[in-house]
């Protein structure tokens, strides 16, 4: 009899695990669909932003700046441009923080 009871207990445990797994899959699907909907909704904004930046970059004339070069091309210093803009954004972010990168003189310091 102990064997039959153990089998029933094990089947119940497997059923519970199956329910939990199914619930987790449903939650993951819902989160993915929500993220996908947000990404698709942001597409018109990114397209318009790209058009605006392209127009602005074209109107400023002949400027040699690494952020305006296409990924994979070679910059003015002969160095390849990074494949992602993440590196450039990290550099700019570090330079803009007080105490890091470029040191700024504040008008309140009397200089």
């Amino acid at each position: 009899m102990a064997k039959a009871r153990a089998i029933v207990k094990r089947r119940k445990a497997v059923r519970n695990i199956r329910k939990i797994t199914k619930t987790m899959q449903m939650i993951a699907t819902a989160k993915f669909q929500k993220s996908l909907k947000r990404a698709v909704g942001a597409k018109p904004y990114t397209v318009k932003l790209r058009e605006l930046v392209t127009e602005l970059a074209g109107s400023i004339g002949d400027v040699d700046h690494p952020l305006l070069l296409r990924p994979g091309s070679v910059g003015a210093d002969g160095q390849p441009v990074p494949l992602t803009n993440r590196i450039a954004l990290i550099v700019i972010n570090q330079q803009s923080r007080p105490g890091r990168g470029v040191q700024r003189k504040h008008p309140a310091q009397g200089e």
Side-chain angles (χ1 to χ4, degrees), residues 92-107:
I92 290 170
N93 189 26
Q94 287 178 348
Q95 289 177 350
S96 66
R97 289 184 184 171
R100 294 186 183 204
V102 177
Q103 298 296 322
R104 296 190 182 126
K105 294 181 182 177
H106 296 283

Side-chain angles (χ1 to χ4, degrees), residues 50-107:
R50 178 174 290 193
E51 290 173 4
L52 176 68
V53 170
T54 303
E55 182 180 332
L56 288 174
S59 68
I60 60 174
D62 192 23
V63 176
D64 191 22
H65 193 276
L67 292 178
L68 298 177
L69 296 175
R70 292 196 176 276
S73 62
V74 178
D77 57 354
Q79 296 293 325
V81 176
L83 293 178
T84 64
N85 290 338
R86 173 183 263 174
I87 295 170
L89 292 175
I90 290 171
V91 170
I92 290 170
N93 189 26
Q94 287 178 348
Q95 289 177 350
S96 66
R97 289 184 184 171
R100 294 186 183 204
V102 177
Q103 298 296 322
R104 296 190 182 126
K105 294 181 182 177
H106 296 283

